Amino acid sequence: MISPIFLVINLVVVALIAIAGVFACKFIGQRVSKKLSVRLIALYTLALLLSPIMAGFIGQDVNERKDPIEVPPYHFEKVLEDYENLNLEDLQEDEFLHQLAVTEISGDANDFPKGSSLMIRSSQFAYNHLNNLIIEVTDAVDSIVITQFNQRFIVDNLDITQEFNSWDWTIKNQELRAEIPQTKIQFNNLSPSSLAFHFDKELSKSIQDSFNFGFIPYENTIQWIQIPEGMDFQHRGNGPWRIKD
Amino acid sequence: MNSMIHRDSKFSIAFEQTKDKLFHHSNAFMYLFILHLIGYLFAFNSGISGFGSGDFLQFSYRSFSTTPLYVMTIFWMIFQGSSLAEEKNRQYYMVSNNFTAYFSDIAVLEIFALIGGVLTLFSGFFMQVYGTLFMENFVLHSVYGSMGVLHYLTLFITGTLYFLIFGTAAYFVGILRVRYKSRFILVAFVAAILLIVAGLLAVRVFGDSALFNIESLFRFYLDERSFFIWLIKVLLTIAGLYTVSYFGIKNMEVNR
């Protein structure tokens, strides 16, 4: 529901710009000589006529996939809840998840002096982010490996999960830490005028539907932490610790 | 009076007048250019249809289309139609009768509509090039993948004919205004009041089913999915507007 005040303000802005346009036409248009205006429109027409060729050279490709993946909303939460029955391979094969990055903590950082152990503290993360961790103790790795998954985010047939920033994992003072960068994406989409589909019912429907891209996964990551067997680690703080042994 | 011109047929005089009017009205192209610039301003600054932010992701989605350019070109056609009709007040052609004046007017309007149609057709490509060069994450809608030559042809024909309808309608109203002067304003005022009263009464008597909105008028054309029926509708509309404006101009005194 649009509030009436918002509507009135919008209308006033549109009216002001329209009045400004009329005045610009009156003041600029009448002072300019006929020759100049003809030349100007010729240049403009030339630029417009050349632009299809330019567009061909630049090569903006269109994603033509006919049946896009319908990602169920909150899929990653179901995966997180079901962590005990799942392996890393299952997540890699999941078509709704995208493996964003694999971070391997290098050798030296894995060695701790005797009697001390790796610390994972919940105070590092906001509560929501602790939710996204799965800790697995395994002998498949020699050092700590963090694999990051994101739920696929598809807008108008385009998978933009690749553009997400991954978490930056380090060990400092025997503590496993993550820097969490925010991904800022502004998506600019050019759609053709609906007049082109005047006699084409199906396409004119599809152009109207595309604006409901539905679920936007703002907190959609799964961080799968593999810790080599035999390494001591402690976890402190409250929160759902998902630990696979 | 120059007798050489009198020997020419009506149509050749009208043709000469068309050329002359195109030259006389060439400032109209400047207006079109300015209006298109405003149209691009609207097209690139409107259409945020999704925005939100979380801890991981700040996402905004904007979709552009060439619709503002169409609106601006329609404004331009209305402007040109009424200014062509306005000129009937001060007829400056020495050798001219109402038929040639009328014929050259509609020829000029058709040429303007054609120019508007071509320019708006290509403005989509122009926006594409501009966006690709100067914008991050600029993508084309997936509908572009299934567009063929026929769709571009549709875009051109529908655009041109709709512009022509608006231009001729404005011309017709302008002719009435020029011809009947103060009586036109009076009649328009009375008609507006009658329409409002009739609308209020209709809603009072028949309820919501009698509501007439301006959208349903355009739906008559816009919802038509069969090309030939649409073409007949549009051409009949234009022909009707031409005819009534010819009858408006037919008995008018020129060179007053």
Side-chain angles (χ1 to χ4, degrees):
Chain A
M1 182 70 199
I2 307 165
S3 85
I5 298 167
F6 183 71
L7 203 68
V8 166
I9 290 171
N10 263 353
L11 281 177
V12 166
V13 168
V14 168
L16 279 179
I17 292 177
I19 290 166
V22 169
F23 270 91
C25 284
K26 290 244 169 193
F27 281 101
I28 304 169
Q30 285 177 356
R31 275 163 180 72
V32 166
S33 69
K34 283 172 180 153
K35 216 175 188 178
L36 184 65
S37 58
V38 169
R39 276 182 189 170
L40 205 64
I41 203 77
L43 267 179
Y44 177 52
T45 313
L46 192 69
L48 285 186
L49 291 179
L50 282 179
S51 53
I53 304 166
M54 280 278 282
F57 273 118
I58 293 166
Q60 182 66 252
D61 51 338
V62 184
N63 203 336
E64 266 188 87
R65 195 174 56 205
K66 286 293 175 203
D67 44 338
I69 309 174
E70 287 279 328
V71 184
Y74 299 107
H75 177 73
F76 72 103
E77 284 195 354
K78 278 172 206 147
V79 173
L80 279 169
E81 278 163 22
D82 197 31
Y83 76 100
E84 282 183 3
N85 305 323
L86 291 170
N87 291 320
L88 191 60
E89 288 77 28
D90 297 333
L91 265 67
Q92 279 163 346
E93 280 164 15
D94 194 332
E95 63 165 342
F96 301 135
L97 294 177
H98 173 71
Q99 183 177 323
L100 197 65
V102 181
T103 317
E104 191 171 351
I105 307 286
S106 57
D108 292 350
N110 290 307
D111 300 329
F112 301 108
K114 270 191 178 175
S116 61
S117 56
L118 179 69
M119 183 76 84
I120 304 172
R121 249 196 261 262
S122 75
S123 60
Q124 291 167 15
F125 312 103
Y127 177 76
N128 278 342
H129 300 172
L130 191 68
N131 233 343
N132 300 74
L133 307 184
I134 297 173
I135 301 168
E136 184 193 23
V137 180
T138 173
D139 55 358
V141 290
D142 298 328
S143 56
I144 301 168
V145 175
I146 299 117
T147 315
Q148 315 190 16
F149 294 96
N150 269 56
Q151 178 174 334
R152 282 193 193 281
F153 181 30
I154 290 166
V155 180
D156 185 37
N157 284 355
L158 274 172
D159 186 0
I160 57 172
T161 331
Q162 285 98 327
E163 311 217 358
F164 283 25
N165 293 329
S166 56
W167 289 22
D168 196 10
W169 287 96
T170 46
I171 290 185
K172 260 183 196 165
N173 302 330
Q174 301 165 30
E175 269 187 17
L176 192 61
R177 287 163 184 272
E179 295 271 323
I180 307 172
Q182 194 189 39
T183 306
K184 284 182 186 170
I185 295 178
Q186 198 196 49
F187 216 64
N188 300 309
N189 186 320
L190 179 68
S191 49
S193 169
S194 53
L195 277 184
F197 313 113
H198 206 293
F199 311 112
D200 198 334
K201 233 176 198 166
E202 284 176 27
L203 282 184
S204 82
K205 247 182 206 168
S206 78
I207 195 169
Q208 283 162 5
D209 291 344
S210 69
F211 297 117
N212 335 315
F213 40 83
F215 178 72
I216 302 174
Y218 289 122
E219 318 286 342
N220 63 345
T221 183
I222 297 170
Q223 305 283 331
W224 186 288
I225 305 171
Q226 285 172 304
I227 291 175
E229 210 162 82
M231 182 184 277
D232 282 341
F233 75 96
Q234 296 177 8
H235 55 275
R236 290 229 176 115
N238 43 11
W241 292 98
R242 306 176 206 277
I243 300 169
K244 273 174 78 95
D245 287 320
Chain B
M1 200 69 49
N2 196 341
S3 60
M4 260 176 69
I5 303 174
H6 272 290
R7 248 182 274 138
D8 290 334
S9 72
K10 270 182 181 179
F11 284 100
S12 65
I13 295 173
F15 180 66
E16 290 297 319
Q17 276 192 15
T18 309
K19 280 203 288 188
D20 200 43
K21 273 182 187 170
L22 270 181
F23 176 73
H24 183 69
H25 278 267
S26 49
N27 271 2
F29 297 130
M30 190 70 201
Y31 301 157
L32 179 65
F33 185 66
I34 293 169
L35 284 174
H36 265 212
L37 284 186
I38 296 168
Y40 284 119
L41 183 81
F42 272 121
F44 277 117
N45 288 294
S46 62
I48 293 186
S49 52
F51 179 81
S53 72
D55 291 331
F56 297 153
L57 179 63
Q58 199 184 59
F59 180 70
S60 61
Y61 178 88
R62 296 157 58 117
S63 74
F64 310 121
S65 83
T66 50
T67 311
L69 286 162
Y70 278 88
V71 175
M72 284 300 166
T73 316
I74 285 171
F75 279 156
W76 180 68
M77 282 307 288
I78 291 172
F79 202 52
Q80 293 316 313
S82 44
S83 77
L84 274 174
E86 190 84 8
E87 223 161 54
K88 296 288 150 296
N89 259 337
R90 38 188 172 79
Q91 194 63 263
Y92 56 88
Y93 296 107
M94 296 304 279
V95 184
S96 151
N97 55 32
N98 286 330
F99 175 77
T100 54
Y102 163 78
F103 190 85
S104 54
D105 276 350
I106 55 173
V108 168
L109 270 181
E110 276 160 17
I111 290 167
F112 279 173
L114 212 63
I115 290 170
V118 171
L119 292 190
T120 43
L121 171 69
F122 281 94
S123 63
F125 293 109
F126 187 67
M127 282 179 79
Q128 183 186 336
V129 171
Y130 181 86
T132 321
L133 288 180
F134 298 110
M135 282 179 171
E136 252 183 287
N137 288 328
F138 188 85
V139 290
L140 295 180
H141 195 283
S142 56
V143 168
Y144 270 109
S146 36
M147 269 175 85
V149 179
L150 226 54
H151 289 110
Y152 287 107
L153 211 63
T154 313
L155 196 60
F156 173 64
I157 292 172
T158 50
T160 309
L161 288 180
Y162 284 142
F163 294 151
L164 193 56
I165 287 184
F166 278 100
T168 5
Y171 181 70
F172 168 58
V173 173
I175 286 287
L176 287 187
R177 206 183 66 173
V178 166
R179 170 121 200 219
Y180 294 106
K181 299 219 159 83
S182 55
R183 262 188 294 167
F184 170 77
I185 297 167
L186 196 73
V187 168
F189 190 68
V190 169
I193 285 178
L194 276 181
L195 271 177
I196 291 168
V197 169
L200 286 175
L201 278 178
V203 171
R204 191 86 184 154
V205 174
F206 301 110
D208 285 351
S209 59
L211 272 178
F212 171 81
N213 54 353
I214 199 111
E215 236 181 286
S216 63
L217 183 72
F218 293 120
R219 225 176 276 156
F220 176 67
Y221 303 106
L222 288 175
D223 275 8
E224 186 56 61
R225 299 290 167 191
S226 156
F227 176 70
F228 286 103
I229 294 174
W230 174 84
L231 198 66
I232 289 166
K233 278 181 182 178
V234 166
L235 289 182
L236 279 183
T237 311
I238 293 170
L241 284 171
Y242 277 166
T243 316
V244 285
S245 43
Y246 181 66
F247 282 121
I249 204 173
K250 197 181 167 192
N251 300 319
M252 203 166 98
E253 290 174 40
V254 279
N255 293 330
R256 253 188 293 202

